[in-house]
Amino acid sequence: MKPLYEITEDIVALLDSSFCEDTGEASEEFENNRALFSNKAQHVVAYLLNREAEAGMIREAIKKMEARAKSAERRAEFLRGYLLENMRRIGATKIEAADCSFVATRYPERDESVEIDEGATFPPELCNDPKPPTPSKSKIKAAILAGEPVKGARIVKRDRLAIK
């Protein structure tokens, strides 16, 4: 069976010559190609819907796996703090596996970080540079529709395919 694009090309080629000038009826060849197009297009839509469903199931599986990974990471983070607190409380600095497969070492007061109080403000020289503003598509569209020239932007219209 021909692919959809070939059937489409056949129909386009027949458009000018396939209709009776007196009755307006389509030729048998044109009607056969339209039926082929309809049949093939239905198969394409069915396959498309299956692929979208498969993609949805994959996304759901990814969400579940990400949730499991996040849960495992939170548990590992809790256990790291739990171990560190208990090592700190008794003054332990090293835990070694009997089979030498791992060593956990606590380095007292080694790391430093700055904590900022909530709501505190600082002079600009103590602040990061602001990121450049991002363009607003809704404001650009409104300006174009109002007749203002906007260099580097345009409104583009595309066809939409809705499958229900």
Side-chain angles (χ1 to χ4, degrees):
M1 183 181 264
K2 290 183 179 181
L4 186 64
Y5 74 91
E6 286 182 10
I7 298 168
T8 302
E9 289 301 318
D10 291 347
I11 291 173
V12 169
L14 292 169
L15 277 175
D16 293 332
S17 63
S18 294
F19 296 93
C20 177
E21 289 183 20
D22 297 334
T23 63
E25 289 183 19
S27 69
E28 186 177 333
E29 181 183 13
F30 183 82
E31 289 299 331
N32 289 340
N33 277 310
R34 272 189 25 184
L36 283 173
F37 178 88
S38 178
N39 186 354
K40 190 64 166 189
Q42 288 174 29
H43 286 90
V44 170
V45 170
Y47 182 69
L48 178 152
L49 292 172
N50 283 336
R51 297 304 295 179
E52 287 177 342
E54 180 183 4
M57 289 185 290
I58 291 169
R59 276 191 294 281
E60 281 302 312
I62 288 170
K63 284 181 189 175
K64 287 179 183 176
M65 293 304 290
E66 285 176 341
R68 288 179 63 187
K70 192 170 206 91
S71 175
E73 288 168 351
R74 282 193 307 264
R75 184 66 178 164
E77 185 179 333
F78 167 79
L79 290 171
R80 181 177 296 275
Y82 175 74
L83 178 62
L84 183 61
E85 178 59 23
N86 283 287
M87 288 176 72
R88 186 195 60 73
R89 288 182 70 198
I90 66 167
T93 57
K94 188 179 273 189
I95 298 172
E96 294 183 58
D99 63 357
C100 298
S101 61
F102 65 81
V103 175
T105 306
R106 180 177 72 94
Y107 298 97
E109 298 185 18
R110 178 172 174 235
D111 296 338
E112 291 181 343
S113 65
V114 176
E115 289 183 356
I116 297 175
D117 296 334
E118 191 172 328
T121 58
F122 301 94
E125 61 269 10
L126 295 178
C127 297
N128 292 325
D129 294 332
K131 293 182 178 169
T134 57
S136 167
K137 290 184 179 182
S138 59
K139 290 180 181 178
I140 292 170
K141 181 180 180 182
I144 291 172
L145 291 175
E148 298 176 31
V150 179
K151 187 176 180 180
R154 66 202 143 288
I155 296 175
V156 178
K157 295 188 178 204
R158 292 186 179 87
D159 293 344
R160 177 184 292 200
L161 176 65
I163 300 172
K164 296 181 182 184

